[in-house]
Amino acid sequence: MEDDINLKLIILKIFQNKKSLFSYCFLGVIFSAIIAFSTKKTWQGSFQIVLENNAKISGSQGLLSSINPNIAELAGSQNTKQLRTEVAILKSPSVLMEIFDYVKAEKIDTNKKYKNLRFKDWSRQNLDINLEKGTTILNLSYRDNDKNLIIPVLNKISSAYQSYSGKKRIRGIDLSLDYFKDQLEVYEKRSLESTKLASKYGIKYDLGVVDIKKDAINNIRVVTNIEKNRLEAVNNLRLINDKLEKLKNLKNDSDQILLIALQIPELSEEGFSKKIKEIDSNLVKLSLYLKENDRQIKYLKKEKIANLKFLKKDLIDLLNVEKNNAISLLNASRRPDGVLIKYKQLINESIKDKSVLDNLGNQFRALSLEKSKIEDPWELITKPTLFPFPIAPVKRMYVLTGFFIGAILGSLIIIYKDSKKNIVYLKQELESITRSPLLGELTFENHNKWEEDIVNIFKSIPFTKNKSFALLYVGDFREVEFEYIKDIFYKTKEIKNIYFTNVLNDINESQKIIIISKLGNVKRSFLRKQCSYIFKKNHIEGSIAIK
């Protein structure tokens, strides 16, 4: 509460001296206006550029992403986090040093002090480079005291950025090409070694590849000559056994013997098959004019049966030979355990290495073509533009700042002077020091109304009939003023048991004390001292201020 009262008193003291306060504010405004009009104007220009279009992947990135996402990353594919790094690079000397050298040279021509200008200071004070929130649009602003430098500098920066975008793309492709060159060398050796190893192993065990197949998920299935021969031998052996079984069950005169023989090229057109077909032909002809029991027809039938018997024997002998051949081929197809599996593994490794080598070669050629392709640089959304009005100094802000500085300094000076004077001017301060309410205020200008005012003041005090009260004069009262006030109080018939004094020792503890103080004439320290003494023995009923 005490701090709050003091703050109020300070504000009241400041506004009591409002003329002085206004003078300080006016001086602050004048001084700031002089500074504003004497300060060099600062001009600003800006442009916007798109670092990357996420909606449509550029040609190189689209190609690389389709070939291999990891390689596309090496070639400069960016994400949101990388954009921050990109912006940091665009702010760095590696991109802007040439522009800084140009600005420094231009400024040195007009002022030699710019010889000590450093890039870090120049970029911090003159450049603002930031991404538009949630986009890949870069906002760049440049400010300078030299209006004629703004557009040339912005043009140079935009050109540098566009040049950097092309260099960055080429650099990314070159890195990828270097990567592919290294990998091509590795896989050329690796493919050659794996092919040699598979071929050497195949020669050792008389193995070869007759077919290579891929399933839906690109798994490789190798078919070897051994597997093919074994499968053919097993199938042939099954057919031969079926035919032998069938021949054993056939009678010697069965026409089925000839049908089986006709399926075998070695027997279909020669030997017994041919003779049997001739006999059948003759029988058909003779049956046209001879009877069935004719001697000539009977002879031909006997001859046919004899030939069928011999044909059946030849068939069995030939099928047994083929059976033995099939068994021999099946036996020849056998290899030690694990040989065929290892050979297939070697062949698979060789195929995979060759596939990777071919793929690397295709990617290397695609990147080489991409490098020679001309692409548009980063797109400028807005051209470098100079603002029509200077951005600094803002004269209104200078004037407002001067006004507030003047007000603050003026307030401090007023408070300092007030503390040095050590005089009580305000009735609120009188209340604060005496720790009692202000009962009333009397002015010498209205002294003819004092009697009425005093009566009203004392009516507000709860007097007791058995106690008196003392009016203590505190301050520099002239004798005439003292006697005049005293006479007014005595003339007031409603007020009794009053004791007037300016000496504390004349007051006894039974008396109620009212302080009468002349504002502007009483020392603050003296009033506090008097009140401090009173508080030890008595209390103050209230105070009356006289102006």
Side-chain angles (χ1 to χ4, degrees):
M1 186 68 182
E2 206 170 271
D3 292 339
D4 186 43
I5 292 171
N6 290 337
L7 181 60
K8 288 179 180 178
L9 283 174
I10 289 170
I11 294 171
L12 288 169
K13 287 175 183 179
I14 291 170
F15 278 98
Q16 187 186 26
N17 296 274
K18 54 188 174 186
K19 288 185 178 179
S20 297
L21 181 64
F22 177 77
S23 299
Y24 288 118
C25 291
F26 180 73
L27 288 173
V29 169
I30 295 299
F31 184 71
S32 61
I34 292 170
I35 294 174
F37 281 97
S38 61
T39 301
K40 284 186 177 181
K41 294 178 181 178
T42 300
W43 299 88
Q44 181 169 304
S46 66
F47 67 82
Q48 290 182 312
I49 191 169
V50 179
L51 300 187
E52 180 186 20
N53 187 354
N54 289 330
K56 182 180 179 182
I57 300 174
S58 65
S60 62
Q61 292 178 12
L63 174 63
L64 294 171
S65 297
S66 65
I67 294 172
N68 190 324
N70 295 323
I71 303 305
E73 180 72 17
L74 287 172
S77 179
Q78 300 183 31
N79 54 32
T80 303
K81 291 181 181 178
Q82 289 174 319
L83 282 174
R84 297 174 186 172
T85 305
E86 195 79 71
V87 173
I89 294 171
L90 295 175
K91 293 180 180 179
S92 69
S94 62
V95 179
L96 297 176
M97 184 54 76
E98 288 186 10
I99 290 91
F100 168 71
D101 291 337
Y102 165 75
V103 173
K104 187 174 180 179
E106 291 292 321
K107 287 186 172 293
I108 288 174
D109 288 342
T110 57
N111 195 330
K112 300 299 181 183
K113 73 175 184 179
Y114 287 105
K115 283 184 177 180
N116 298 322
L117 183 64
R118 296 290 179 265
F119 177 86
K120 187 176 180 180
D121 298 329
W122 171 75
S123 63
R124 186 181 68 252
Q125 296 170 6
N126 297 73
L127 282 172
D128 282 328
I129 304 172
N130 294 294
L131 278 173
E132 191 87 21
K133 189 175 180 181
T135 70
T136 58
I137 298 172
L138 188 74
N139 295 318
L140 186 140
S141 299
Y142 177 71
R143 51 188 170 272
D144 203 298
N145 298 128
D146 188 349
K147 182 179 179 180
N148 296 324
L149 267 181
I150 301 294
I151 294 299
V153 169
L154 288 175
N155 283 331
K156 286 181 179 293
I157 293 174
S158 66
S159 298
Y161 281 4
Q162 289 180 310
S163 175
Y164 167 78
S165 69
K167 289 179 181 177
K168 178 176 175 291
R169 171 181 167 270
I170 296 299
R171 174 61 177 162
I173 293 175
D174 285 338
L175 287 173
S176 299
L177 287 172
D178 291 340
Y179 169 81
F180 282 126
K181 284 179 182 177
D182 294 339
Q183 293 301 309
L184 279 169
E185 290 179 6
V186 170
Y187 274 91
E188 280 176 356
K189 293 178 182 178
R190 187 168 173 175
S191 178
L192 183 61
E193 289 297 324
S194 60
T195 301
K196 283 182 178 179
L197 190 61
S199 178
K200 187 176 179 181
Y201 195 84
I203 292 171
K204 181 179 178 180
Y205 290 100
D206 193 22
L207 299 172
V209 177
V210 295
D211 194 12
I212 297 173
K213 297 178 180 179
K214 285 186 179 182
D215 58 19
I217 56 175
N218 286 330
N219 288 325
I220 299 171
R221 182 174 174 270
V222 176
V223 179
T224 63
N225 58 337
I226 295 301
E227 290 173 307
K228 182 180 179 183
N229 293 341
R230 183 184 299 166
L231 184 63
E232 289 178 356
V234 169
N235 289 333
N236 286 338
L237 195 59
R238 185 181 296 109
L239 290 173
I240 291 170
N241 287 330
D242 288 343
K243 289 178 181 178
L244 286 172
E245 187 66 25
K246 192 173 182 180
L247 284 171
K248 288 178 183 179
N249 296 325
L250 290 176
K251 294 181 179 181
N252 292 335
D253 59 350
S254 175
D255 288 334
Q256 292 292 322
I257 296 172
L258 180 61
L259 292 176
I260 294 172
L262 292 176
Q263 295 175 7
I264 300 173
E266 293 89 337
L267 299 177
S268 61
E269 298 296 334
E270 295 179 0
F272 296 109
S273 298
K274 185 178 181 182
K275 287 181 180 180
I276 292 169
K277 285 193 288 184
E278 290 175 354
I279 292 170
D280 283 337
S281 178
N282 290 330
L283 284 172
V284 170
K285 291 178 182 177
L286 291 174
S287 63
L288 294 175
Y289 56 88
L290 293 178
K291 291 182 178 180
E292 189 70 24
N293 55 359
D294 187 83
R295 183 176 60 82
Q296 192 174 354
I297 290 176
K298 287 181 178 180
Y299 175 79
L300 288 175
K301 285 182 178 181
K302 287 180 180 180
E303 187 179 3
K304 178 181 177 182
I305 292 171
N307 280 288
L308 282 173
K309 182 178 179 181
F310 288 118
L311 180 61
K312 179 179 179 182
K313 182 179 180 301
D314 286 347
L315 274 173
I316 291 172
D317 291 341
L318 181 61
L319 288 173
N320 282 325
V321 171
E322 287 185 357
K323 180 179 179 180
N324 290 331
N325 289 338
I327 292 172
S328 298
L329 183 60
L330 189 61
N331 291 332
S333 300
R334 289 190 174 92
R335 295 292 184 274
D337 292 342
V339 169
L340 194 59
I341 293 174
K342 185 176 180 181
Y343 180 67
K344 285 189 174 185
Q345 288 176 343
L346 292 173
I347 292 295
N348 277 330
E349 289 297 322
S350 175
I351 291 170
K352 287 178 181 178
D353 290 341
K354 184 63 168 64
S355 177
V356 172
L357 180 63
D358 292 341
N359 192 28
L360 287 170
N362 292 335
Q363 293 178 42
F364 183 82
R365 285 187 288 273
L367 280 172
S368 299
L369 290 172
E370 183 63 25
K371 183 178 180 180
S372 61
K373 182 180 175 182
I374 298 173
E375 281 204 353
D376 292 333
W378 287 341
E379 180 186 359
L380 276 176
I381 295 179
T382 58
K383 293 181 179 179
T385 306
L386 175 67
F387 293 1
F389 302 104
I391 61 168
V394 182
K395 296 181 176 64
R396 285 177 295 178
M397 290 303 299
Y398 269 77
V399 170
L400 284 173
T401 303
F403 176 82
F404 285 114
I405 291 174
I408 293 168
L409 289 175
S411 299
L412 293 174
I413 292 169
I414 289 169
I415 294 167
Y416 176 76
K417 285 183 176 181
D418 179 76
S419 66
K420 282 295 183 181
K421 286 181 179 180
N422 194 28
I423 302 294
V424 177
Y425 289 98
L426 299 172
K427 57 187 179 181
Q428 290 87 350
E429 188 173 12
L430 181 62
E431 286 182 298
S432 176
I433 295 172
T434 62
R435 301 179 192 174
S436 63
L438 183 71
L439 300 175
E441 186 176 2
L442 303 175
T443 62
F444 282 106
E445 292 178 359
N446 297 322
H447 63 276
N448 56 338
K449 294 177 60 181
W450 274 23
E451 187 174 348
E452 181 184 346
D453 292 338
I454 289 169
V455 170
N456 292 331
I457 289 170
F458 277 84
K459 280 182 179 179
S460 64
I461 303 172
F463 294 104
T464 59
K465 294 179 180 180
N466 298 326
K467 288 188 179 182
S468 63
F469 56 93
L471 269 65
L472 178 64
Y473 287 81
V474 181
D476 186 14
F477 282 90
R478 290 180 295 175
E479 186 67 25
V480 177
E481 293 172 343
F482 179 78
E483 291 299 329
Y484 179 75
I485 295 168
K486 191 175 179 181
D487 289 341
I488 293 295
F489 271 89
Y490 283 137
K491 285 180 183 180
T492 306
K493 296 177 181 180
E494 287 85 351
I495 305 171
K496 298 176 181 180
N497 298 325
I498 299 175
Y499 177 72
F500 293 89
T501 184
N502 59 356
V503 180
L504 281 173
N505 292 331
D506 293 344
I507 302 172
N508 60 54
E509 294 181 5
S510 63
Q511 291 177 317
K512 293 185 177 181
I513 299 172
I514 296 175
I515 290 178
I516 298 177
S517 179
K518 190 178 179 183
L519 297 179
N521 280 40
V522 61
K523 294 285 185 180
R524 187 180 293 114
S525 57
F526 177 74
L527 179 60
R528 283 177 177 160
K529 186 177 180 182
Q530 294 285 78
C531 291
S532 178
Y533 181 83
I534 294 169
F535 295 149
K536 291 178 182 179
K537 297 181 180 181
N538 211 325
H539 75 279
I540 300 170
E541 190 71 28
S543 60
I544 298 174
I546 297 178
K547 289 186 178 180

